[in-house]
Amino acid sequence: MRRILLAYGLMLPALWASSTATWEMTTYADFLKGRFSGVSLTRDGRLMLAPKLETLFTSEQPAVWSVARAQDGTIYAGTGHKGRVFRIDPAGRSSLLWTAAEPEVFAVAVDAKGVLFAATSPDGKVYRIENGKAEEYFAPQARYIWSLAFAPDGALFVGTGEQGKIFRVTAPGKGEVYYETGQTHVTCLGFDAQARLLAGSEPNGILYRVMAKDKAFVLYDANLPEIRSIVSGPDGSVYVAALGGSIASRAASAGAVQGVISSPATVGASGTSITVTDTQAGVEIKPKQETPKPAQAQTQVTTQISPILDMSGVEKSALYKINPDNTVETLWSSKEENIYDVLLSGTQLVFATDLQGRIYRMTPDRKAALLLQTNESETTRLLEADGSVLASTSNMGKIFRMGAGYGTTGSFESPVHDAGSVARWGRLSWRASKEQDCRLAFRTRSGNSARPDKTWSDWSEALDGAGSAVVKSPNARYVQWRAEFGGAGKSALLDTVIVTYLPQNATPVVKSIGVNMQTATGATQTKSTASAASQTGSYSITVSDTPDSGPAASAGTSTQALSRSGSQQLQISWQAEDPDGDRLVYAVYFRGEEEREWKLLKANVSESSLPIDADALADGRYFFRVVASDRLVNPAGVAREAELISPPILIDNTPPLVKAGAVVRQGDAVAIEIEATDAASALRRAEYSVDAGPWTPLEASDGIIDSPSERFRIAIEKLNPGEHIVVIRVYDAAGNAGLAKVVVR
């Protein structure tokens, strides 16, 4: 048994390719594809411990949709899908404040007196909640209420859907339509530095500045469907988050509790029709009355929260800065992430996305750095509280507090790397800088499924050393590494990780073989034509009209033989590839149908085709075999080869033999019997011509031309008196034509 195992061990090196491959991660884009837990990513592509992150509140609900903070430090959170509002006091103690009759609380706001207002959906209402008691404050007769905002004068603005109206409410039950956007939803509200109302909409992604009742200015028309969040800076700048239609999924979630909802609005090609009139007060914008759309069929939905728009491969979301002069800059955009909220915290611009609940910070050079990842489905809202940033999430609905200092531990999981085939892992090397009290260690795991599951190996023992260690995970096709950070107020900086491996040498694949007949060209044709000329005895004759001083002599008149324009070639071509991308070399063989052994046509062919003289193979059926090898880039013990045999190929260079019988003439009618045979293939077509005239098809005596031997009968009526030439032409399956001539007198 030991000898068998030893022999197997000696055979193992033959399985591996000769070239070492590397997987290197060193850039911001490389690391951004991984999974972060307590780790940040700087814009220049360095991993480090993230700011401290603690769970402030857990709602036990699927989502925290909205958050607001009172002046005394109390936090209020509106959740879904049971319509609950929670209170978190400054000490971090939480309690259920109120449960609405409606399933979703998409917006909450606190007035100057610290009184809470909550907006519910669907069939939206605004409630005033004080001392734990809720009273209906305003019912806008709208299906959804997405946003609430208090103006400096104490008026409450309410953004609604599905009619896209903004209401101004001044007292219980006293509200009026302040502006009709003509859009489906008013998704967010805010105020600029001059206390003018800002409103974002969906589905055309329009940002309005509403200066007075029924008077507005389109501040920006984004190329994304939804304006999701608005933040104003003290210098008059406005920061806007836009994304690809999340409002529709939130509408679906709101209706899911009731079981059936109307299909939400989706992005269309038609925009809002706007009439612009110059006035002294500003610009008056009135939406044009649209033709009512037919009611959409009701759709059964579930409570899963997911965007309904397929934005793969295109921009999904963006963060814009609108300068005081109304010029617009794109600060950030993504094809993979939806931006959900933006916050101006002091001089720092922070924004949140739906990719594992990430939170980014915009650097002074206007580049996004990943602050941390909550590892929840979405980070829905951001809020500043006492110098800290609070982040609410969905699935599960939580509120996190982000501190200023480093966390004590964190880890980063790389994306899965595909070696292409089973690989032998080499070393994991890294480049990092760390101080004395900082810890940095690595672990690896491997498997043969594209996603890590229970079939993968366990994480290896910690690999820590002076920048390099041997990977101890089993040989497999896929590999992943994890970096573990530790420190007390300090953090290591990791900027490069390299994994080396030796992939298994994959076998080449010969996909197809084709054989075609063609006319020789170039040097081959010249050579073949010269050979044909020598065989047919063609001559070069010079004719001069000057008298010849030499004695008169007769050389006779020679008959000129007309040769074909070029000899025929067999073009053998094939398609082959190597999974490793190795350069291939080929050998081509042939064998006749009745033969036993393969004959080599040519070895060491570097191209994927081989021409041969068609006359080199006699008539018959042949097989061609192509063998592909990667031996040029792999040692003899490692090199692999593959082969493919063609289907039978018929080679027929000999035309049919055509024989004409005696001519039978009766008056002006003529009949001729014809017999045609071919030694290699079946006949396919026959025709005749009289006096070099048009060709007339012939029918076989048995009704179909399909065998190597056929008989035909030519019947010509009303043939003019005199001598005539009848030429018969018969084709075989290879396209060769046999001819016969009959003189009719």
Side-chain angles (χ1 to χ4, degrees):
M1 182 67 178
R2 181 176 298 178
R3 291 182 180 178
I4 295 175
L5 291 176
L6 179 59
Y8 177 76
L10 293 175
M11 292 171 61
L12 285 179
L15 298 175
W16 309 104
S18 60
S19 300
T20 300
T22 60
W23 169 37
E24 180 175 353
M25 294 185 63
T26 188
T27 67
Y28 178 85
D30 292 338
F31 290 119
L32 198 60
K33 299 173 184 177
R35 182 179 176 87
F36 299 78
S37 179
V39 170
S40 291
L41 175 62
T42 65
R43 187 60 206 186
D44 57 357
R46 291 185 173 187
L47 296 173
M48 60 187 298
L49 282 172
K52 295 178 181 178
L53 186 69
E54 60 177 342
T55 303
L56 178 65
F57 165 68
T58 300
S59 68
E60 305 298 334
Q61 303 299 303
V64 174
W65 292 129
S66 52
V67 290
R69 182 177 182 271
Q71 291 184 353
D72 64 358
T74 302
I75 305 296
Y76 297 99
T79 68
H81 305 302
K82 295 182 179 180
R84 293 177 177 176
V85 177
F86 294 87
R87 179 181 184 273
I88 303 101
D89 66 20
R93 295 184 295 266
S94 62
S95 60
L96 176 62
L97 181 64
W98 174 66
T99 300
E102 295 78 27
E104 310 294 327
V105 181
F106 285 134
V108 293
V110 179
D111 68 7
K113 298 179 181 179
V115 178
L116 175 66
F117 291 75
T120 62
S121 294
D123 300 322
K125 295 180 176 65
V126 178
Y127 294 89
R128 185 178 187 273
I129 306 172
E130 189 172 15
N131 298 324
K133 296 182 179 180
E135 297 180 351
E136 184 178 312
Y137 186 71
F138 180 67
Q141 305 302 315
R143 185 162 179 77
Y144 302 107
I145 300 177
W146 300 116
S147 50
L148 299 175
F150 278 101
D153 63 1
L156 176 64
F157 286 96
V158 181
T160 68
E162 297 171 318
Q163 297 178 354
K165 297 178 180 179
I166 303 171
F167 292 84
R168 184 176 184 269
V169 185
T170 55
K174 295 183 179 180
E176 62 177 347
V177 176
Y178 192 66
Y179 187 72
E180 294 186 45
T181 64
Q183 296 285 292
T184 305
H185 301 281
V186 175
T187 52
C188 55
L189 297 171
F191 295 91
D192 64 12
Q194 300 179 34
R196 294 173 295 188
L197 180 66
L198 301 175
S201 66
E202 193 266 355
N204 295 116
I206 298 175
L207 175 65
Y208 299 89
R209 177 188 288 150
V210 187
M211 297 163 289
K213 182 176 171 23
D214 296 329
K215 294 183 179 180
F217 177 78
V218 173
L219 194 58
Y220 186 57
D221 186 352
N223 60 359
L224 288 164
E226 178 188 348
I227 303 296
R228 180 67 170 86
S229 178
I230 308 168
V231 171
S232 297
D235 62 349
S237 299
V238 177
Y239 299 92
V240 178
L243 75 164
S246 172
I247 191 73
S249 66
R250 285 183 282 145
S253 298
V257 178
Q258 298 180 345
V260 178
I261 67 167
S262 297
S263 298
T266 56
V267 181
S270 60
T272 302
S273 178
I274 299 174
T275 301
V276 180
T277 304
D278 291 331
T279 64
Q280 293 181 351
V283 180
E284 182 180 3
I285 304 177
K286 297 181 179 180
K288 181 180 178 181
Q289 293 294 328
E290 297 182 355
T291 303
K293 299 179 180 178
Q296 297 178 342
Q298 290 186 330
T299 305
Q300 187 74 28
V301 298
T302 65
T303 58
Q304 182 178 359
I305 304 169
S306 59
I308 67 167
L309 298 181
D310 182 9
M311 304 289 289
S312 58
V314 298
E315 186 179 85
K316 288 182 66 173
S317 63
L319 175 61
Y320 306 108
K321 179 184 180 183
I322 303 174
N323 297 304
D325 62 357
N326 291 350
T327 57
V328 181
E329 303 175 61
T330 301
L331 301 181
W332 177 88
S333 65
S334 175
K335 296 179 180 179
E336 291 81 27
E337 303 177 54
N338 275 309
I339 183 171
Y340 267 59
D341 202 10
V342 58
L343 171 69
L344 192 59
S345 177
T347 59
Q348 290 192 353
L349 189 66
V350 181
F351 61 95
T353 76
D354 63 348
L355 185 59
Q356 298 173 324
R358 288 178 172 177
I359 300 175
Y360 292 87
R361 176 178 61 85
M362 192 64 62
T363 61
D365 58 352
R366 298 185 179 182
K367 294 182 178 180
L370 179 59
L371 271 180
L372 54 84
Q373 185 169 290
T374 65
N375 289 321
E376 296 294 335
S377 177
E378 303 157 335
T379 296
T380 55
R381 289 297 177 190
L382 297 172
L383 182 69
E384 187 172 20
D386 300 327
S388 298
V389 174
L390 304 183
S392 65
T393 63
S394 69
N395 198 20
M396 290 290 296
K398 300 178 181 179
I399 297 178
F400 295 91
R401 176 188 284 132
M402 184 172 62
Y406 290 119
T408 56
T409 60
S411 65
F412 170 81
E413 287 185 14
S414 73
V416 172
H417 178 68
D418 182 3
S421 62
V422 175
R424 173 186 293 171
W425 312 118
R427 303 185 71 84
L428 184 146
S429 305
W430 62 91
R431 185 167 62 248
S433 59
K434 63 176 184 176
E435 299 181 30
Q436 183 175 357
D437 296 330
C438 298
R439 188 177 74 88
L440 178 62
F442 294 86
R443 300 179 191 271
T444 62
R445 62 178 176 177
S446 60
N448 286 307
S449 57
R451 293 185 178 182
D453 54 23
K454 62 183 181 181
T455 66
W456 275 49
S457 69
D458 295 331
W459 288 106
S460 68
E461 300 175 356
L463 308 177
D464 47 8
S468 178
V470 175
V471 175
K472 299 179 181 179
S473 297
N475 298 337
R477 175 173 175 173
Y478 301 95
V479 69
Q480 186 182 30
W481 57 264
R482 182 173 73 191
E484 299 174 346
F485 293 78
K490 300 177 182 179
S491 175
L493 292 174
L494 175 65
D495 57 21
T496 300
V497 177
I498 300 174
V499 176
T500 60
Y501 58 94
L502 193 63
Q504 179 180 344
N505 186 27
T507 303
V509 178
V510 183
K511 293 185 172 182
S512 63
I513 299 175
V515 181
N516 297 294
M517 186 73 74
Q518 64 182 26
T519 302
T521 58
T524 304
Q525 179 177 346
T526 303
K527 180 178 179 180
S528 300
T529 303
S531 175
S534 64
Q535 293 174 6
T536 58
S538 60
Y539 297 88
S540 176
I541 301 175
T542 302
V543 179
S544 174
D545 59 359
T546 58
D548 191 350
S549 58
S554 175
T557 302
S558 63
T559 299
Q560 181 178 356
L562 299 178
S563 63
R564 289 183 290 179
S565 59
S567 64
Q568 297 294 303
Q569 280 188 334
L570 282 179
Q571 183 76 17
I572 308 168
S573 57
W574 55 90
Q575 289 185 335
E577 64 180 26
D578 188 271
D580 301 327
D582 293 343
R583 185 158 52 96
L584 298 177
V585 65
Y586 308 97
V588 184
Y589 300 82
F590 79 96
R591 177 177 63 81
E593 187 176 38
E594 303 298 329
E595 300 168 9
R596 297 181 179 179
E597 297 182 359
W598 291 99
K599 288 81 176 174
L600 177 65
L601 277 174
K602 190 173 182 180
N604 299 320
V605 179
S606 58
E607 304 296 331
S608 58
S609 63
L610 177 67
I612 63 172
D613 192 339
D615 295 335
L617 298 177
D619 293 354
R621 290 160 61 90
Y622 292 87
F623 296 91
F624 294 90
R625 173 171 160 242
V626 175
V627 179
S629 173
D630 61 3
R631 67 175 184 273
L632 296 180
V633 293
N634 291 284
V638 175
R640 300 227 178 159
E641 63 179 33
E643 67 175 42
L644 183 66
I645 299 173
S646 73
I649 306 296
L650 173 64
I651 295 178
D652 183 0
N653 293 317
T654 305
L657 177 63
V658 182
K659 294 181 180 180
V663 177
V664 178
R665 185 163 189 171
Q666 294 180 351
D668 59 353
V670 173
I672 308 172
E673 296 292 333
I674 306 297
E675 182 180 359
T677 58
D678 192 273
S681 62
L683 303 179
R684 287 290 182 260
R685 182 161 59 98
E687 54 196 5
Y688 71 93
S689 170
V690 179
D691 296 336
W695 292 98
T696 302
L698 282 172
E699 182 181 13
S701 297
D702 61 1
I704 183 170
I705 307 175
D706 62 351
S707 65
S709 178
E710 297 284 357
R711 300 183 68 85
F712 307 91
R713 187 175 186 273
I714 300 175
I716 306 173
E717 297 180 358
K718 297 181 180 180
L719 189 65
N720 295 330
E723 186 177 77
H724 299 278
I725 301 298
V726 179
V727 176
I728 303 95
R729 183 166 65 184
V730 181
Y731 290 91
D732 62 15
N736 300 308
L739 299 169
K741 181 179 74 171
V742 177
V743 179
V744 180
R745 294 185 173 89

